[in-house]
Amino acid sequence: MTAVVHAFRRGEWRTSLDTAALPGTGGAAYGLALVPEIVAHADRRWWDTARATLPPLTGRRELLAEAVELFGRGTVTVGGVGAQDADGFRAALWNTAGLPGPLVDRWCVMLREGLPKRGGEPVPDDRLSLVALPGNTFTCLDSVLDQAERSGAVWVRPSRREPLSAARLVAALLAVGWPAARIGLYPGEQRALHGLLKLADRRIVYGGAGLAASVRDAESLTLHGPGRGCALVPPGMPVEAAVDWLLPLIAADSGRFCRNVRTVICTDPEQSRALASSLAVALDAIPPDPTARDWPLTVFRELETAHRALRSVQERMRPGDRLLTRRDPVTEVDGAPCLLPGLVLLQAYEGHPLVGHEVPFPFAAVLTATPETPETVRAITAESLFVHRPAKRGPA
């Protein structure tokens, strides 16, 4: 029996004649109701009429805090799925998206702890915001919370690879009393995204390099594209200390965040080789155990997605590059491929295609940029949204 996750539009959970199957076969099978572009256009006209009759919504941050707490730990009713408790949510994410429980726990905590760290509460307007989410992590739901606090309404476009977290957040908002007309869930085909963007007054889009390039010219757009995180290892830093510093930057969150380190830059060739060897050993020691608390790894419920990610690394390697991690790069966990952490030592930079390359598993390239080639460091850091340097310690 297939549970079809409904869209939420015009204040109600609604199914659709257009549906898509979610990946994964463990437990119950899931489908997803898709919203055709013509329906979204009609809903925008409905919103323009409905917003004039809505009373002001006060106490938004308190409601958001209640919803996030319920999202992580409570029971909510998701259209098409029914009552879903915290364990059911985690099981569904594991079965469809390959996200292990410890990682889901960590990301729920991040969402919950992020709310109190916001600045002053914004003055809400009556604009319609759209948040187009990625499939790699549901921590980007933070943007939904932000837009819900500042906008007249927010429509959420979930990834077809992982729509369950977005649907659960919508259900949690409704459960704490968020006005139904002020929230929407609009799953759709990738090709329909551009049409959906045109309907919104404010747009927040997450995606890879291809999507980023295709929507860059849209107005009122906040684009979260590739982060190309890099780490600069200072000369003279002990190898053991450098490994301890770099390991979480590469492996945390199963390598799925834009700020994860993809490129490690050393200025000393000897340091570079020794560090790369020791770092590879540390990455090889990370177990493919979905119950691991330190660095839990995800699995891929779509076989071709896993192979495509791995090929994207292998095809970018150049003669002279060395893969230093020793394990077979793919192992099977719960009947699905798990891509193990990888580390490549690059022979030379020269615009190497692995520099800053983002894949949905822990992976990094190590290269040497000598003091005689400062332009290498400048070129890499200029393309990186996240440049990591070890914290300076004061005198003992």
Side-chain angles (χ1 to χ4, degrees):
M1 182 177 179
T2 300
V4 177
V5 181
H6 290 182
F8 191 82
R9 32 179 299 272
R10 298 198 186 194
E12 296 180 13
W13 293 104
R14 299 171 185 264
T15 189
S16 171
L17 294 177
D18 296 329
T19 61
L22 298 192
T25 56
Y30 287 90
L32 178 65
L34 305 179
V35 179
E37 192 170 344
I38 190 172
V39 172
H41 276 268
D43 288 354
R44 170 67 210 225
R45 293 192 294 271
W46 171 85
W47 162 249
D48 288 336
T49 301
R51 64 181 172 183
T53 65
L54 291 174
L57 176 59
T58 59
R60 295 191 182 206
R61 187 161 296 185
E62 290 77 11
L63 286 175
L64 292 176
E66 291 180 40
V68 171
E69 179 69 23
L70 195 59
F71 173 87
R73 300 174 177 174
T75 297
V76 299
T77 301
V78 179
V81 176
Q84 181 191 68
D85 62 14
D87 289 340
F89 173 52
R90 284 155 177 76
L93 284 182
W94 173 249
N95 291 329
T96 60
L99 300 181
L103 197 57
V104 175
D105 293 343
R106 169 176 163 81
W107 290 356
C108 285
V109 170
M110 292 175 70
L111 280 176
R112 189 167 62 247
E113 293 181 346
L115 271 176
K117 297 177 182 178
R118 295 179 184 272
E121 295 189 37
V123 177
D125 55 36
D126 65 351
R127 302 177 77 182
L128 174 63
S129 294
L130 173 74
V131 181
L133 295 167
N136 57 319
T137 169
F138 65 74
T139 57
C140 298
L141 289 170
D142 180 69
S143 288
V144 176
L145 302 175
D146 177 66
Q147 293 306 311
E149 189 172 23
R150 70 179 62 247
S151 305
V154 57
W155 289 2
V156 186
R157 181 193 180 274
S159 165
R160 280 182 51 181
R161 284 182 292 150
E162 198 286 275
L164 297 177
S165 58
R168 182 172 172 85
L169 181 61
V170 169
L173 285 166
L174 295 171
V176 301
W178 199 268
R182 294 186 181 275
I183 188 72
L185 183 71
Y186 282 77
E189 299 282 358
Q190 180 69 30
R191 62 178 179 270
L193 174 58
H194 292 81
L196 201 57
L197 288 172
K198 294 176 182 177
L199 299 177
D201 304 314
R202 185 184 291 125
R203 308 156 181 88
I204 296 85
V205 178
Y206 292 84
L211 176 61
S214 70
V215 302
R216 196 178 305 277
D217 295 332
E219 297 180 0
S220 302
L221 172 71
T222 301
L223 178 62
H224 298 277
R228 300 187 179 93
C230 70
L232 304 180
V233 182
M237 186 177 188
V239 167
E240 183 177 351
V243 170
D244 290 342
W245 171 58
L246 289 167
L247 186 62
L249 293 176
I250 297 171
D253 303 296
S254 200
R256 292 195 169 213
F257 282 12
C258 58
R259 63 175 176 264
N260 279 116
V261 164
R262 308 296 178 174
T263 310
V264 178
I265 306 172
C266 300
T267 57
D268 178 353
E270 292 301 321
Q271 178 196 45
S272 178
R273 287 188 286 271
L275 171 59
S277 297
S278 295
L279 185 56
V281 171
L283 290 169
D284 273 336
I286 295 176
D289 179 2
T291 65
R293 304 304 304 186
D294 288 337
W295 319 119
L297 301 177
T298 56
V299 301
F300 289 75
R301 295 300 180 184
E302 295 175 302
L303 184 63
E304 177 52 33
T305 302
H307 289 323
R308 186 166 57 247
L310 186 58
R311 284 197 306 270
S312 75
V313 171
Q314 296 168 338
E315 293 171 354
R316 284 170 170 79
M317 291 183 64
R318 293 174 173 175
D321 295 341
R322 294 172 55 202
L323 178 64
L324 297 183
T325 39
R326 300 295 186 183
R327 292 183 291 184
D328 189 312
V330 184
T331 190
E332 186 175 288
V333 176
D334 191 32
C338 173
L339 298 188
L340 299 176
L343 191 77
V344 170
L345 180 62
L346 306 185
Q347 184 180 50
Y349 169 54
E350 297 175 359
H352 200 296
L354 277 179
V355 171
H357 181 54
E358 295 187 355
V359 285
F361 66 95
F363 171 81
V366 180
L367 63 86
T368 302
T370 65
E372 291 77 28
T373 56
E375 66 278 359
T376 297
V377 176
R378 286 197 297 268
I380 295 173
T381 55
E383 293 293 322
S384 303
L385 292 180
F386 301 95
V387 179
H388 301 270
R389 296 176 175 85
K392 294 182 178 179
R393 294 183 178 182

